[in-house]
Amino acid sequence: METPVRSDAELLRVNRGFYEALWAQARLVDPERFNTWPLLRELAAASPRRLEVAPGLRPRLPLDGTCFVDLSHAALRQLRARGAKATHGMIGALPCGDAQFDLVCAFDILEHVADDEGALNELARVAAPGATLLLSVPLHADAWTAFDEFVGHCRRYEPGAIETKLAAHGFALERSAIYGMQPKSSRLLDLGQWFLTHRRERAMWWYNHVFMPLGLRFQKPLQWRDGLPEVAGVDEVLLVCRRIA
């Protein structure tokens, strides 16, 4: 399926509508429950200045001491209720100073914005020299499905292209791991999309109360590899980068 061309306004409308409704019915999941926690616990301990962009109610960094920026007011309310420093904003215009953070995380967000160059520029702007960036993106344009469009994606990335984009913004890719919880079955995705379209409230209840807990339970430990090796057939990757310029 061909990747559609989508405007900033359309992407904002789709993402705001989908995720505001999702987070309004969800509870915050503690960072310790994700398979990213062993790495992020270690990085956070060495990085007192931390930023996570668009965590929703699935933050990966410790709530205490991290600055969170999100578009969803429903997510911000719950983050603040747990004592987190959470600010309304978007990845293309972060409400943060230059070179302010030693650790920056942006999981599952770059594919949602039309101007990914501007988003990467903002991540580079707020990252201090030597800072660590964790970024996750979906791969392979030819793997595009109607579900990508439904959840507000703008694109999937070719492996070489994302590495080139990162380098152009002063980030050196150090290691990567296969990432994500999306089911491999296209039939399950089609069924999920149908329910989200026609029975949204029920579908989101099942996602938050059944499928998300099952996904957490059956997560596999991340297997880290230097650079970005062969990723044929891989749906999504998590990238660990270093700010070098």
Side-chain angles (χ1 to χ4, degrees), residues 6-15 112-114 152-154:
R6 313 182 77 177
S7 67
D8 283 316
E10 181 188 1
L11 286 165
L12 182 60
R13 177 185 59 79
V14 172
N15 282 291
H112 288 269
V113 297
H153 288 180
C154 186

Side-chain angles (χ1 to χ4, degrees), residues 42-192:
E42 177 183 343
L43 291 174
S47 306
R49 303 185 302 168
R50 306 186 297 269
L51 169 69
E52 186 168 353
V53 182
L57 293 177
R58 310 290 184 255
R60 303 310 203 271
L61 284 174
L63 296 182
D64 185 24
T66 299
C67 177
F68 297 97
V69 174
D70 204 285
L71 184 64
S72 167
H73 291 286
L76 291 171
R77 283 193 294 271
Q78 289 202 46
L79 286 165
R80 291 167 181 161
R82 290 286 299 274
K85 180 183 178 182
T87 303
H88 186 263
M90 299 175 64
I91 192 172
L94 293 171
C96 311
D98 295 352
Q100 189 174 343
F101 300 102
D102 305 305
L103 175 59
V104 178
C105 293
F107 295 91
D108 302 318
I109 179 63
L110 200 62
E111 65 272 18
H112 288 269
V113 297
D115 183 13
D116 60 343
E117 296 287 353
L120 285 169
N121 189 60
E122 278 293 273
L123 294 176
R125 180 183 66 81
V126 302
T132 299
L133 168 69
L134 269 74
L135 184 77
S136 64
V137 294
L139 294 179
H140 309 302
D142 61 5
W144 181 271
T145 69
F147 194 76
D148 283 288
E149 185 171 359
F150 183 78
V151 297
H153 288 180
C154 186
R155 70 188 65 80
R156 284 174 167 266
Y157 289 90
E158 299 304 333
I162 186 61
E163 193 166 359
T164 298
K165 280 181 178 286
L166 288 166
H169 289 273
F171 291 107
L173 175 61
E174 294 186 337
R175 51 181 166 158
S176 64
I178 297 173
Y179 182 69
M181 296 184 184
Q182 181 170 306
K184 295 181 179 180
S185 170
S186 61
R187 290 184 178 181
L188 282 177
L189 289 176
D190 291 343
L191 183 62

